Amino acid sequence: MNPSQSPSPNLTFLSDEKTIYPFMDNYDFSNLMFDVGEGGNNGLIQEEPSSPTTIVTGESGGSGSALTTLSKKESTGSKDGETKEVGHRVAIRTRSQIDVMDDGYKWRKYGKKSVKNNTNKRNYYKCSSEGCMVKKRVERDGENAAYVITTYEGVHNHESPSHVYYNDMVLSFDHDNPSQHSLLRSIQKFPPS
DNA sequence: CGTTTTTGACCCGCGC
DNA sequence: GCGCGGGTCAAAAACG
């Protein structure tokens, strides 16, 4: 049911733990929640890391962005061979009219559920690429239908199908595409380190 | 014709 | 043990 959405490179992960979201103006971030669970037995909750990464996008919205970094207490299975690689969760709450935003990856919906205290349904997506177990959960805020909560879980093993990377984005910038103008502005605001 | 969506069923952890 | 809330499976339908 997805309309023809051009693969917009609007999400980029840096090699560091910092993440830059040069989204378009359509996506007005209101809340960013990082839940990075380490595989270790680190049950600490680091509310504010030593290097707080503040991301502000959607300059037109005016509303600031909040970022929270958490640490999931993923207790190890105590098994010597158990490798709990799961533990990278990123929750983004944005104000968007579109339920699912195209982050450049191909997602396949595999479930739909209605949660308590929320009339809206919650959708479950999974990365289409085989071997990539990245999951994504999209939910509308019942109170404010204008807000959408997108939760990513996992790390992609492969690159974006559209081959969009931060450096390549500038190179492949299409000046004739007005929808990317704001993208360029975001890029200029966040120059590569 | 291959891939994705849909949708109810199933499953699992947890609290009672 | 059972029910509930939440997450996933899978078969058929729908899509391109």
Side-chain angles (χ1 to χ4, degrees), chain A residues 1-190:
Chain A
M1 291 304 184
N2 243 0
S4 58
Q5 285 181 307
S6 55
S8 330
N10 38 23
L11 194 143
T12 302
F13 288 95
L14 298 180
S15 53
D16 252 322
E17 291 187 355
K18 301 175 183 177
T19 314
I20 291 182
Y21 298 90
F23 278 88
M24 308 189 220
D25 287 339
N26 308 17
Y27 308 119
D28 185 18
F29 284 95
S30 77
N31 259 309
L32 291 175
M33 276 170 54
F34 277 55
D35 188 298
V36 183
E38 306 292 76
N41 47 10
N42 186 3
L44 302 176
I45 296 182
Q46 302 167 348
E47 283 282 273
E48 45 181 52
S50 52
S51 58
T53 311
T54 306
I55 301 167
V56 178
T57 53
E59 58 274 11
S60 63
S63 56
S65 301
L67 184 141
T68 312
T69 303
L70 299 176
S71 201
K72 190 161 72 175
K73 41 173 182 252
E74 190 84 39
S75 60
T76 51
S78 299
K79 294 290 182 179
D80 27 76
E82 292 283 327
T83 306
K84 281 281 185 127
E85 51 185 330
V86 184
H88 193 102
R89 179 182 299 172
V90 178
I92 309 170
R93 200 181 86 156
T94 115
R95 188 158 68 97
S96 160
Q97 302 178 4
I98 314 171
D99 286 305
V100 287
M101 38 185 153
D102 191 358
D103 45 19
Y105 290 95
K106 195 95 197 287
W107 301 96
R108 184 182 84 258
K109 177 188 281 189
Y110 68 89
K112 171 176 64 175
K113 263 295 193 179
S114 52
V115 286
K116 206 182 101 175
N117 272 31
N118 196 346
T119 0
N120 303 285
K121 304 281 177 62
R122 174 183 293 172
N123 297 315
Y124 301 90
Y125 299 88
K126 206 189 100 177
C127 190
S128 298
S129 301
E130 188 176 340
C132 194
M133 296 295 288
V134 178
K135 279 173 283 189
K136 175 194 196 178
R137 161 200 288 138
V138 177
E139 176 185 359
R140 282 214 98 97
D141 199 328
E143 309 275 313
N144 306 317
Y147 290 91
V148 174
I149 303 173
T150 306
T151 307
Y152 294 92
E153 188 166 339
V155 183
H156 288 284
N157 270 331
H158 57 98
E159 310 306 340
S160 173
S162 50
H163 191 261
V164 279
Y165 246 359
Y166 189 77
N167 293 329
D168 296 326
M169 283 197 296
V170 187
L171 298 176
S172 61
F173 178 77
D174 187 8
H175 285 266
D176 292 329
N177 193 351
S179 63
Q180 295 193 5
H181 287 171
S182 58
L183 217 192
L184 214 218
R185 260 184 281 129
S186 300
I187 291 175
Q188 289 171 165
K189 273 194 157 185
F190 302 97

